[in-house]
Structures are given as C-alpha cells and as structure tokens.
Amino acid sequence: MINWGFYQENNEKNRIQILAGWVVDILAVIALAVFLVTGMGNPHTIAGHSMEPTLNSGDVVLVNAISYHIFDVKRFDLVQFTIEEPEEKVQVKRIIGLPGETVQILEGKIYINGSELEHSKDMADDISISGLAEQEIELGKNEYFLLGDNNNSSEDSRFANIGNVNRKQIQGKVWARVSPLDSIGFLR
C-alpha cells in the first residue's frame, strides 16, 4: 500500500489557512462595522423646540463625525456642535453663514454678503428677532453662523451666549432620524 501521509499533512495545513483566513475576514468586518457605527452613527437626542418642524424634542438623530474630515461644511447642513460657556452643551442647528461671509437679518429676512438668502423650506419664513445680526456680522476664517429652523424660538448665533461657531466646535453632520419609529428617515 502507498503511504499518503504527506497528503494528510497538506490537507491539514489548508484547513488551518482557510480557518485563519475566515478569522481575519471576520475581524476586518467587525472593525469596519465599529468604525462606521462610531463614526457615522453617534446618537443624539434633541432637547427643546428650536429645530421644529424638522426635529422635535425627544427625536433621536444620528451624527456623522467622519463627513467633515472628508467634505466641506455646506450651507443648510444640520450640524451638532458644542458650546463651552457657561457649561458644556451639545446642540443641533442649521448652517446659514460660511467662513468669510457677512450675515445680517433685516425686517425678518437673512442677508448673506448683502443679498437676500433663499432659505431652506424647513426654516420659518420671517425672523422676528435679529439679535446680534441686526448689524452686519463678518465671519472669520473658521466661523459659521447657525440658526434653528424654528428661529423665533431658538438660541443660536444671533445671541452672545452662542455667537459665531468655530469649526472646532462642530462635531459632525446630522444625517438621519432614528426615533420615533414613525419618523425614521434621512435628513437634509
């Protein structure tokens, strides 16, 4: 009879290689999933009424913390940002003014560089309180002007306690609502 011992040895090595390949693939998928969930799925619960009708108090949204490391912040993006003073708070507002622009609110209308802004359909039509934006506000190199969609009931860049928001304060783009269940969907 012929001794096929070398065949059994090679067959065993192939099984170990296949198993090792599976383990590496599974670990890679788990690492990718963790990266995507932590980078694009940071949950945030909306508190207050400043983003109505887009977002209601108690809605849970997902924040993409990776997006702005790759892409630029755009006008009308919904963003999560932090306020340091007097205590650290996390809020969600809409980008209105971009770095280097001037922003002014006159007679209920928003003006960017002197031209009236055709605002997002999610925002209230007339703004009753101009706040600091009654006078032209010039945004610095890394500064943004943010407003709540319910801008007549929103604490935002019009007020000194928030003011212009620095790029470093912006944590990410709000891209989806995951609760309540009847309102799940992508946000714009």
Side-chain angles (χ1 to χ4, degrees), residues 3-44:
N3 183 355
W4 295 100
F6 74 91
Y7 178 74
Q8 286 179 337
E9 194 174 296
N10 283 341
N11 199 13
E12 195 171 308
K13 282 183 184 178
N14 285 341
R15 286 185 191 149
I16 291 172
Q17 288 174 337
I18 290 170
L19 181 62
W22 275 92
V23 169
V24 169
D25 289 347
I26 290 169
L27 290 176
V29 168
I30 290 171
L32 179 62
V34 168
F35 173 75
L36 291 176
V37 168
T38 58
M40 296 177 68
N42 293 330
H44 174 78

Side-chain angles (χ1 to χ4, degrees), residues 44-62 78 90-94 122 148-150 153 174 176-185 187:
H44 174 78
T45 303
I46 302 298
H49 304 283
S50 70
M51 289 306 296
E52 289 178 352
T54 307
L55 299 169
N56 298 307
S57 188
D59 285 0
V60 178
V61 296
L62 296 180
L78 290 174
V90 177
Q91 292 196 7
V92 171
K93 302 290 182 209
R94 191 175 297 278
D122 298 314
D149 287 357
N150 184 7
S153 180
V174 177
R177 178 181 10 232
V178 294
S179 176
L181 294 177
D182 63 344
S183 298
I184 288 176
L187 298 168

